[in-house]
Amino acid sequence: MSTKVLQPASRYVPPIPRITNMVASHWLVAPIRPWIKNTRFKGMFRPIFTTKFAEHSSGLTGNIKQIKVDVENRSLAQIKADFYRVVEGIDRGVFGVPSAQRSDIERLVELLESQNPTPDPTLNLQKVGGYWKLVYSTITILGSKRTKLGLRDFIMLGDLFQYIDVAKGKAVNVIKFIVRGLKLNGQLTIEASFRVASNSRVDITYDSSSIIPDQLMNMFRKNYDLLLGIFNPDGWLEITYVDDNLRIGRDDNGNIFVLERSEETQT
């Protein structure tokens, strides 16, 4: 998929302008906001996250109260749980997210990045290798693009998977599709190569792509360049967070990608 294959918040390198107009989605990391500081470094400000909780009161429930939470007093597991709650039901964000909700998601992403347990991810590529599934991304398919691709009523976007082969320096992105009414399942597969560019960044080069079965390819043929332009992986990716089960990346187009480790070998 034109999804890209990986900086820790405290070591973020500003994005470099690209010489291309193609929209690329790297899964392997938009710049980190400067007011999010790492609590592990003495003398820096502690990150504060404002979230909303339902507060119970006499006779009334569901009153919303904003509470400032010091990340020092919250575990990584709590931040992850909050993230999964706020992204529930948004279809990975591909078809748009209300701005307020998007802001909440991105603040939680920044909190995770500020506690990245792997500050030099490309020196620990064993944590990056294997199978992953996309949970959230800021790439979007909206308006006329969604209509042209038939992704409103006729074709459904399924899961988006990625397999990273560290030994070969290869990444395979797979975007699943379901054609309603025809009982037809298919996929777009995009293969890419990557090389380490820094302790947190990889450069990605598109190799090839294909759609199966032929019936699905025929449906996308007229707008294949548009589809590939959305999921093309060319460019660079900064790995801003990775642990045993979760990975966050920011690409050279400012997109965010959050993936969870998957046991499914869908690629």
Side-chain angles (χ1 to χ4, degrees):
M1 25 193 171
S2 144
T3 5
K4 292 189 174 183
V5 195
L6 326 163
Q7 143 187 65
S10 58
R11 304 172 61 112
Y12 177 69
V13 179
I16 301 170
R18 298 185 58 197
I19 309 177
T20 177
N21 292 324
M22 183 171 282
V23 177
S25 44
H26 314 349
W27 288 5
L28 275 178
V29 241
I32 299 171
R33 290 182 173 86
W35 59 83
I36 297 297
K37 302 293 184 180
N38 197 319
T39 59
R40 291 175 295 178
F41 293 92
K42 185 176 180 181
M44 289 190 174
F45 295 109
R46 294 194 302 263
I48 299 295
F49 173 65
T50 301
T51 188
K52 296 178 181 179
F53 297 90
E55 182 184 62
H56 297 278
S57 59
S58 56
L60 296 173
T61 60
N63 294 329
I64 301 300
K65 180 179 180 180
Q66 288 193 334
I67 303 173
K68 286 187 177 181
V69 182
D70 188 335
V71 70
E72 255 191 352
N73 297 323
R74 304 175 74 209
S75 69
L76 199 55
Q78 288 173 321
I79 299 172
K80 282 185 178 182
D82 287 342
F83 170 79
Y84 275 103
R85 277 195 294 270
V86 79
V87 299
E88 186 177 359
I90 65 169
D91 200 6
R92 292 144 297 181
V94 174
F95 299 120
V97 180
S99 59
Q101 187 176 7
R102 178 168 172 157
S103 295
D104 288 344
I105 293 170
E106 293 185 13
R107 281 194 290 267
L108 284 164
V109 166
E110 289 166 346
L111 285 181
L112 288 169
E113 290 170 329
S114 74
Q115 299 195 45
N116 181 20
T118 314
D120 298 307
T122 62
L123 301 182
N124 297 275
L125 282 177
Q126 72 279 2
K127 284 195 172 185
V128 176
Y131 294 91
W132 299 86
K133 183 169 76 171
L134 188 69
V135 177
Y136 173 75
S137 173
T138 55
I139 63 166
T140 55
I141 307 174
L142 304 173
S144 61
K145 288 184 179 180
R146 186 174 181 182
T147 301
K148 287 180 179 179
L149 293 171
L151 294 174
R152 293 192 181 276
D153 300 313
F154 186 50
I155 303 173
M156 291 178 58
L157 182 65
D159 286 325
L160 293 86
F161 292 97
Q162 182 181 71
Y163 173 66
I164 299 177
D165 187 329
V166 171
K168 294 181 179 180
K170 297 288 185 180
V172 180
N173 295 328
V174 173
I175 304 94
K176 299 283 187 175
F177 296 99
I178 303 100
V179 182
R180 302 186 185 193
L182 298 182
K183 296 182 179 179
L184 177 68
N185 295 332
Q187 66 185 45
L188 165 66
T189 301
I190 298 177
E191 298 186 16
S193 303
F194 69 89
R195 67 175 186 82
V196 172
S198 74
N199 286 3
S200 59
R201 178 180 294 185
V202 293
D203 291 332
I204 305 165
T205 304
Y206 166 86
D207 290 335
S208 63
S209 63
S210 61
I211 293 182
I212 57 173
D214 290 342
Q215 190 174 356
L216 183 63
M217 180 62 203
N218 291 336
M219 295 176 189
F220 282 125
R221 190 178 305 278
K222 183 178 179 180
N223 294 297
Y224 187 68
D225 288 345
L226 173 61
L227 181 67
L228 192 59
I230 294 168
F231 295 107
N232 173 48
D234 254 2
W236 57 255
L237 186 79
E238 201 79 35
I239 308 168
T240 57
Y241 180 97
V242 63
D243 62 21
D244 292 338
N245 302 302
L246 195 72
R247 196 179 89 226
I248 302 173
R250 294 178 179 259
D251 73 9
D252 50 327
N253 285 313
N255 290 311
I256 298 172
F257 303 89
V258 182
L259 301 94
E260 63 183 7
R261 192 165 288 281
S262 172
E263 299 299 325
E264 301 177 70
T265 57
Q266 297 290 337
T267 56

